[in-house]
Amino acid sequence: MNQKKILYLTIVFWLLIFSGFIAYKEYTLRTGTEVLLKTLPVDPRDLFRGDYVTLNYEISNLDMEKLPSEESYFYSDEPVYLALELKNGYGVPKKIYTTSPEDELYIKGKVKDILYDWETDESGVTTEETIKELRVNYGIESYFVPEGKGMEIEKAQRTEKTEVDAKVIIDKYGNAVIKSLLIDGKEIEF
């Protein structure tokens, strides 16, 4: 094969890969269920990665003492599926699974961190450990915005009287894509 053909095949290959990523996200946006998620303030962003907003959600920190679960033990980097109940448009945690649930709205995530509750006997020996909280990433923790808008949105997140929400589309496989951000119920337009 000559070098021109190899170059063209390489270009076509990369165009197909990029098109596949775009088609995957577009499929989720067109076929998924729209859910609002409450965000929580986070530390400032890394200036070297472009202008984006770092998002943390109420559903990112799961209190295992209050949330029913299919399993009692989890591992870091383990995939989990959080069933959501819609209340006034907001996705509220309902139950956590280690396999995708049937006939429920759920979001797929990965265990990022595990906080334990340790019980000890009178001599100080640990007798039982239980999971107190799971911290989960859903792949929607960064949202790219036009230049100069990122700090404005993060500043609004840290203001007590301002509510920043994410409008997220979740497909039938639990994949989530951020559609837009809302400040005090109004969609931010760029």
Side-chain angles (χ1 to χ4, degrees):
M1 238 191 267
N2 65 26
Q3 288 183 335
K4 226 178 198 182
K5 281 186 180 179
I6 292 172
L7 176 66
Y8 289 138
L9 287 174
T10 303
I11 290 171
V12 168
F13 172 76
W14 284 108
L15 285 174
L16 286 172
I17 289 195
F18 290 133
S19 297
F21 285 127
I22 292 168
Y24 171 74
K25 296 292 184 185
E26 190 62 31
Y27 172 79
T28 299
L29 284 169
R30 292 188 185 273
T31 63
T33 303
E34 190 171 281
V35 175
L36 291 174
L37 296 176
K38 290 184 180 281
T39 65
L40 300 171
V42 292
D43 292 336
R45 62 185 170 76
D46 179 359
L47 296 174
F48 296 107
R49 292 178 55 191
D51 221 6
Y52 70 97
V53 179
T54 301
L55 300 169
N56 188 29
Y57 302 93
E58 284 186 353
I59 65 168
S60 295
N61 302 320
L62 302 174
D63 185 345
M64 299 306 291
E65 294 170 350
K66 296 179 181 175
L67 185 63
S69 174
E70 178 181 66
E71 295 288 328
S72 61
Y73 204 81
F74 295 88
Y75 301 94
S76 288
D77 292 327
E78 177 181 14
V80 291
Y81 304 85
L82 179 64
L84 297 171
E85 183 178 352
L86 290 178
K87 291 186 178 177
N88 298 324
Y90 287 94
V92 178
K94 183 176 172 184
K95 186 174 181 178
I96 192 161
Y97 296 90
T98 54
T99 58
S100 57
E102 297 288 324
D103 301 324
E104 285 194 80
L105 173 64
Y106 66 92
I107 186 169
K108 181 171 52 176
K110 206 173 243 192
V111 176
K112 176 177 70 169
D113 199 12
I114 304 168
L115 299 177
Y116 294 94
D117 211 2
W118 306 94
E119 292 184 26
T120 56
D121 62 14
E122 295 165 1
S123 63
V125 175
T126 301
T127 57
E128 185 179 345
E129 68 177 29
T130 56
I131 295 177
K132 182 178 181 178
E133 184 177 300
L134 282 183
R135 294 191 177 156
V136 180
N137 279 348
Y138 299 99
I140 52 174
E141 285 72 28
S142 296
Y143 183 67
F144 289 88
V145 296
E147 194 170 330
K149 295 288 184 181
M151 291 304 281
E152 178 184 323
I153 295 167
E154 287 182 356
K155 191 176 184 180
Q157 278 185 303
R158 288 188 288 277
T159 305
E160 286 183 30
K161 295 179 182 178
T162 305
E163 204 172 283
V164 179
D165 299 318
K167 189 182 287 186
V168 176
I169 306 294
I170 303 171
D171 70 13
K172 64 183 178 180
Y173 306 107
N175 301 308
V177 175
I178 300 172
K179 184 176 181 183
S180 63
L181 295 180
L182 294 89
I183 295 180
D184 290 332
K186 293 181 184 175
E187 200 164 314
I188 301 171
E189 294 188 27
F190 300 110

